[in-house]
Amino acid sequence: DAGVTQSPTHLIKTRGQHVTLRCSPISGHKSVSWYQQVLGQGPQFIFQYYEKEERGRGNFPDRFSARQFPNYSSELNVNALLLGDSALYLCASSLTSGRSVGELFFGEGSRLTVL
Amino acid sequence: LAKTTQPISMDSYEGQEVNITCSHNNIATNDYITWYQQFPSQGPRFIIQGYKTKVTNEVASLFIPADRKSSTLSLPRVSLSDTAVYYCLVGSNSGYSTLTFGKGTMLLVSP
């Protein structure tokens, strides 16, 4: 069975540009979460979506947005990129609705470098 | 939001048992304790989850005392491949979107 897949795996952008990251959850998983991991730090929660609705939002600026599609895949968009946005962006899917604590299945991440 | 405190790093040798303790003094009644493992440039991987007492699976054990203000992840007979960062998370059943990863514990296993 395929795990959580993310694309692209690596990308380089310049300041001010926009980026879209994509995530396909494990088949049957309806919940997708996004995390940002800066080098040397633990993953920081950005968004959670369940059944195409936003269920949670972390402490990130409005430049960060996301959505979930009918097939439960998801996109993370970041506008007006800053150098500090350089990080590994992780997507995680889960069976749970967000109303209970469950196992998160993470993808390999998208490594974003902003120059 | 329950905050967790873990040692920044730990060293061990192959074949030893490793115990990583996590402190979570403000844990709420409905919070579960979950541990993840992360290798460089990979996403975290679920290890074990518990609410109280002891939980054991094929890779680890989780010990939670009665007051639940701390927990200990026990890795039996570690190998070089267990070198990784280990994260302790405390999550409320009001939505696991509130789960917060700390800096984790970097475990280095040497021959």
Side-chain angles (χ1 to χ4, degrees), chain B residues 10-85:
Chain B
M10 294 183 67
D11 295 323
S12 182
Y13 293 97
E14 282 188 295
Q16 289 189 333
E17 178 185 73
V18 172
N19 295 308
I20 306 174
T21 296
C22 179
S23 174
H24 28 80
N25 292 317
N26 297 323
I27 189 168
T29 302
N30 295 327
D31 284 348
Y32 281 74
I33 301 155
T34 312
W35 286 80
Y36 283 81
Q37 174 194 57
Q38 187 177 29
F39 299 111
S41 296
Q42 292 187 22
R45 183 175 68 100
F46 175 91
I47 302 175
I48 197 167
Q49 183 180 86
Y51 182 79
K52 61 180 180 180
T53 62
K54 176 183 176 182
V55 179
T56 297
N57 61 23
E58 63 276 9
V59 297
S61 294
L62 179 59
F63 298 91
I64 305 170
D67 66 6
R68 304 202 323 124
K69 293 183 182 300
S70 67
S71 59
T72 299
L73 174 71
S74 181
L75 304 173
R77 298 178 297 282
V78 294
S79 64
L80 298 177
S81 63
D82 291 317
T83 294
V85 178

Side-chain angles (χ1 to χ4, degrees), chain A residues 31 33 35 37 41-45 48 56 90 94 96 98-101 103-104 106-108, chain B residues 32 34 36 38 41-44 46 49 87 91-97 99-103:
Chain A
S31 180
S33 299
Y35 289 80
Q37 187 171 26
Q41 304 292 320
Q44 299 300 304
F45 170 74
Q48 184 212 351
L90 294 162
S94 174
T96 60
R99 294 296 298 173
S100 62
V101 177
E103 180 177 350
L104 295 175
F106 284 86
E108 296 298 298
Chain B
Y32 281 74
T34 312
Y36 283 81
Q38 187 177 29
S41 296
Q42 292 187 22
F46 175 91
Q49 183 180 86
Y87 295 98
S92 166
N93 68 357
S94 66
Y96 69 75
S97 58
L99 286 179
T100 300
F101 286 78
K103 293 185 178 182

